[in-house]
C-alpha cells in the first residue's frame, strides 16, 4: 500500500471499527456490512454539495441543447471548429461538461481507502480484524469469484441500479451527440468492478451508486418543482 494512504486508511479503519462495535449489539453478524453502509452514507453526505452542483450543471446543459445541436449541424465536418465553438458556448454560459463528474471523482479516494481497508493484513501496526468479518459466510475481503455467490447478488443489484441510472440520464442527455450511445454503457461498468475488488468495496459501490440515483432524482424533482 502506498505510504500516503497510511493515515487515511488508519483513520477509516478506526472509524469503521467503531461503527462495527456500535452496531454489533443490534446487527450481530451484519455489523461490518452496516458499518460499510454507514461509512458510505457519511461520505456521500459530505459530498452532497458536489451533487447539487452536478444537477445544476445538467440543467444548464439541457437548456443549451438547442444551441449545441445548431453547432453540431453547422460544423459537422470540422471537429476542431466544433470543439472551439462548444468551449466558447460553455464559457459564455458559465457551464462545464465535466461538472456532472464531480461526485464520482471526489469519492474515488474514499473508494480506494475502502479497497485497502479490506485487502491489507496490518493497519497502523496492528492486525486488521475487519478481515475476519463476513456476509453469509463469505469474507468481506474476498475478491471477485472467490466471494461467490454473494458477489453475484451484489453484481445483479448493481446492474439494476445501472439500468435505472441509464434511464434517468437518457432524459437529460442528447442521444444524437457523438459518443452518447457509448456513454449509456458506462454505468454498467460498476458490475465489472465486482470481479476485481474485495466484497466490502463492492458493497461500497452498490451503496454509493444507489445513493447517486436516488439523490439525483430527488434533486432534479426539487429543481423542477414550481416555487411556492
Amino acid at each position: 500500500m502506498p505510504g500516503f494512504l497510511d493515515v487515511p486508511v488508519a483513520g477509516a479503519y478506526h472509524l469503521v471499527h467503531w461503527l462495527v462495535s456500535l452496531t454489533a449489539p443490534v446487527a450481530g453478524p451484519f455489523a461490518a456490512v452496516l458499518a460499510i453502509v454507514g461509512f458510505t452514507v457519511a461520505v456521500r453526505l459530505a459530498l452532497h454539495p458536489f451533487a447539487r452542483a452536478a444537477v445544476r450543471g445538467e440543467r444548464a446543459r439541457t437548456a443549451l441543447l438547442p444551441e449545441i445541436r445548431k453547432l453540431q449541424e453547422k460544423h459537422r465536418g470540422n471537429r476542431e471548429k466544433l470543439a472551439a465553438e462548444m468551449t466558447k458556448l460553455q464559457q459564455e454560459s458559465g457551464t462545464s461538461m465535466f461538472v456532472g463528474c464531480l461526485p464520482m471523482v471526489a469519492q474515488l479516494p474514499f473508494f480506494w481507502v475502502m479497497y485497502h481497508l479490506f485487502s491489507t493484513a496490518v493497519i497502523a501496526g496492528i492486525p486488521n480484524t475487519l478481515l475476519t468479518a463476513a456476509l453469509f459466510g463469505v469474507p468481506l475481503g474476498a475478491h471477485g469469484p472467490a466471494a461467490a455467490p454473494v458477489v453475484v447478488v451484489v453484481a445483479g443489484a448493481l446492474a439494476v441500479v445501472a439500468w435505472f441510472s441509464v434511464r434517468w440520464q437518457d432524459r437529460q442527455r442528447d442521444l444524437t451527440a457523438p459518443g452518447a450511445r457509448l456513454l449509456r454503457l458506462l454505468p454498467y461498468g460498476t458490475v465489472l468492478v465486482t470481479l476485481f475488488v474485495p466484497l466490502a468495496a463492492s458493497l461500497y459501490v452498490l451503496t454509493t451508486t444507489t445513493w447517486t440515483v436516488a439523490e439525483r432524482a430527488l434533486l432534479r424533482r426539487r429543481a423542477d418543482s414550481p416555487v411556492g
Side-chain angles (χ1 to χ4, degrees), residues 71-79 82:
L71 290 176
Q72 290 172 342
E73 182 66 25
K74 182 178 180 180
H75 305 291
R76 181 179 299 176
N78 191 336
R79 291 180 176 271
L82 175 59

Side-chain angles (χ1 to χ4, degrees), residues 34-110:
L34 190 60
I36 292 171
V37 173
F39 174 85
T40 310
V41 169
V43 169
R44 293 311 307 267
L45 286 173
L47 299 180
H48 182 67
F50 292 106
R52 295 178 68 90
V55 170
R56 288 195 299 267
E58 288 165 357
R59 285 178 58 84
R61 290 197 304 274
T62 300
L64 289 177
L65 280 180
E67 294 296 326
I68 292 174
R69 291 193 180 100
K70 290 180 182 178
L71 290 176
Q72 290 172 342
E73 182 66 25
K74 182 178 180 180
H75 305 291
R76 181 179 299 176
N78 191 336
R79 291 180 176 271
E80 293 183 1
K81 183 64 175 179
L82 175 59
E85 290 297 324
M86 290 282 285
T87 300
K88 180 181 178 181
L89 179 62
Q90 292 176 52
Q91 292 174 343
E92 292 177 348
S93 61
T95 63
S96 171
M97 293 297 178
F98 301 103
V99 68
C101 301
L102 282 176
M104 180 184 69
V105 173
Q107 68 177 304
L108 284 178
F110 298 98

Side-chain angles (χ1 to χ4, degrees), residues 126-139:
I126 59 177
N128 183 1
T129 59
L130 292 177
L131 294 179
T132 63
L135 177 60
F136 298 118
V138 177

Side-chain angles (χ1 to χ4, degrees), residues 44 153-169 184 186-191 202-215:
R44 293 311 307 267
V153 176
V154 174
L158 279 168
V160 172
V161 174
W163 182 79
F164 277 104
S165 177
V166 170
R167 284 195 62 190
W168 183 85
Q169 291 178 31
R184 298 181 78 251
L186 289 182
Y188 292 101
T190 57
V191 179
S202 295
L203 292 172
Y204 175 96
V205 173
L206 175 59
T207 304
T208 193
T209 52
T210 302
W211 179 283
T212 295
V213 173
E215 181 182 54

